[in-house]
Amino acid sequence: MTKILVTGGAGYIGSHACKLLKSKGYTPVVYDNLCTGWQDAVKFGPFEQGDLRDGARLAEVFGKYEPAAVMHFAALSQVGESMHNPGIYWDNNVGGSQSLMQAAVDAGCQNFVFSSTCATYGDQDNVVLDENCAQYPINAYGASKRAVEDMLAHYEAAFGLKHVIFRYFNVAGADPEGDVGEFHQPETHLVPLMLDAIAGKRDALTIFGTDYDTPDGTCIRDYVHVMDLVGAHVLGLKWLEEGKESRVFNLGTGTGFSVREVVNHSAAVTNKEVPINEGPRRPGDCTKLVSGSTRAETELGWTPEMSTLERMVSDAWRWHQTGHYDK
Ligand code: UDP
């Protein structure tokens, strides 16, 4: 079976990708340092513990499995943290990705699927966020991802490394079969924090900023179901297997929801009150991030069919009540 090296495969999105890859006949080989991931989430193929910045360890793993492609999910991904501790974003996300790309080309692995982010676009009023839009990240997380995008172009020019870059909008939901789900420690993302508040595991959800220039004053985001998102990765892999050119794709639905709208939908889906506090803005947050592109649909044939708020919240709620990983 074709092996795919999945960095960050013990994390939220990577573990869902591994499940889908296995069901499509691939062997996902997880490479993860477990700094935020969970060994319990590695259920669909071999596990190799290691750090991205450890070139010798990477060379050993590439030599052992000879993967046909890399899916690179491993990264630090918290906007707030990136603003008060930017150095670890450059070290881990940029330095780690460079070490991974070098190990891939040294091993003759020429296909690379990279998890980038809409945070690379930054705060751009009245601009359609499609793949041709200029990128002006306003937080260190987005800047680190943009730097890796640039690096991929240089690795292709110098060594022929083919790549598909996915710029994710906001990922939510969980595997409907409950094998894997979202579990961060500490948690910083809107949907799981809100479900914690609903379940009484925390006092309340704090809304970060109610004075944005949006209809209800809260930030607007474009939410994508994690199963739809990883489905695009398998299509991206096929794109590279067919020898097509390196390409960038936004992964969003084109519909934005404010924080308050997410809260209201979640109350309706769970049939419970969401206790909320209103707090100050979180440094680094953009006002509105909504995809303005249908490239993934038209070129990859991607259909985000599970990405309604109702479905994302109900799948996340089911996982929240029954699933967890041991610490
Ligand atoms: N958010 C919030 N309270 C929280 C966590 C997040 O109001 O406790 C808001 C955040 O300001 C942003 C949106 O929810 O507008 C999504 O944030 P998240 O951290 O989930 O994803 P990000 O957009 O940073 O990738």
Side-chain angles (χ1 to χ4, degrees):
M1 285 205 290
T2 306
K3 299 182 195 76
I4 309 298
L5 187 71
V6 182
T7 75
Y12 170 41
I13 301 170
S15 61
H16 287 76
C18 288
K19 178 168 179 172
L20 186 63
L21 283 167
K22 183 162 188 214
S23 76
K24 300 283 183 191
Y26 296 95
T27 298
V29 177
V30 170
Y31 188 85
D32 199 301
N33 67 0
L34 300 182
C35 81
T36 56
W38 306 94
Q39 193 161 350
D40 282 359
V42 183
K43 301 180 171 183
F44 311 103
F47 175 55
E48 296 287 346
Q49 187 164 351
D51 194 284
L52 290 173
R53 294 156 293 187
D54 184 346
R57 177 78 180 118
L58 279 169
E60 190 185 328
V61 171
F62 273 102
K64 180 172 172 184
Y65 295 97
E66 300 183 345
V70 176
M71 276 194 190
H72 180 29
F73 296 96
L76 299 175
S77 63
Q78 295 174 24
V79 167
E81 177 188 62
S82 84
M83 295 302 282
H84 59 76
N85 198 358
I88 58 173
Y89 280 73
W90 291 93
D91 181 25
N92 189 77
N93 293 3
V94 182
S97 297
Q98 189 276 326
S99 152
L100 177 65
M101 275 180 227
Q102 191 62 49
V105 298
D106 288 347
C109 177
Q110 295 286 57
N111 289 332
F112 200 99
V113 179
F114 176 58
S115 305
S116 188
T117 169
C118 62
T120 59
Y121 294 123
D123 228 351
Q124 304 193 44
D125 268 356
N126 302 318
V127 172
V128 175
L129 299 181
D130 65 21
E131 294 84 353
N132 297 317
C133 176
Q135 293 168 291
Y136 304 111
I138 63 165
N139 53 61
Y141 166 60
S144 72
K145 291 286 187 173
R146 189 187 62 178
V148 178
E149 291 193 12
D150 290 345
M151 203 191 303
L152 278 166
H154 290 292
Y155 266 75
E156 176 166 25
F159 309 111
L161 183 66
K162 292 285 177 202
H163 54 269
V164 165
I165 294 170
F166 287 117
R167 293 186 187 142
Y168 303 171
F169 285 71
N170 284 62
V171 189
D175 168 24
E177 292 164 5
D179 289 328
V180 283
E182 183 169 16
F183 191 59
H184 296 110
Q185 232 159 35
E187 189 52 77
T188 63
H189 292 104
L190 178 63
V191 171
L193 283 176
M194 190 172 45
L195 297 180
D196 274 354
I198 289 173
K201 291 187 188 162
R202 64 182 64 235
D203 292 343
L205 172 81
T206 300
I207 296 183
F208 294 145
T210 54
D211 60 347
Y212 284 96
D213 184 16
T214 60
D216 67 19
T218 65
C219 291
I220 294 175
R221 296 286 182 275
D222 180 340
Y223 293 85
V224 186
H225 196 295
V226 65
M227 294 310 299
D228 284 337
L229 186 101
V230 298
H233 287 65
V234 173
L235 297 171
L237 197 54
K238 291 195 189 319
W239 177 277
L240 292 172
E241 285 170 353
E242 288 165 8
K244 294 183 175 160
E245 82 270 22
S246 297
R247 199 81 170 127
V248 181
F249 297 99
N250 278 359
L251 294 179
T253 65
T255 304
F257 292 96
S258 71
V259 176
R260 285 195 206 280
E261 286 175 315
V262 176
V263 167
N264 292 340
H265 274 84
S266 303
V269 167
T270 59
N271 209 15
K272 292 182 189 295
E273 283 289 303
V274 185
I276 55 168
N277 291 324
E278 295 186 359
R281 293 184 179 200
R282 181 173 65 179
D285 268 344
C286 298
T287 304
K288 179 178 176 183
L289 290 166
V290 178
S291 178
S293 165
T294 55
R295 182 186 285 180
E297 285 95 314
T298 54
E299 296 189 15
L300 282 180
W302 181 59
T303 319
E305 54 197 14
M306 294 167 72
S307 296
T308 61
L309 265 190
E310 285 73 14
R311 182 76 204 253
M312 288 184 269
V313 172
S314 64
D315 286 343
W317 181 230
R318 192 178 319 109
W319 161 260
H320 191 275
Q321 291 171 294
T322 57
H324 65 93
Y325 302 123
D326 288 325
K327 298 174 183 77

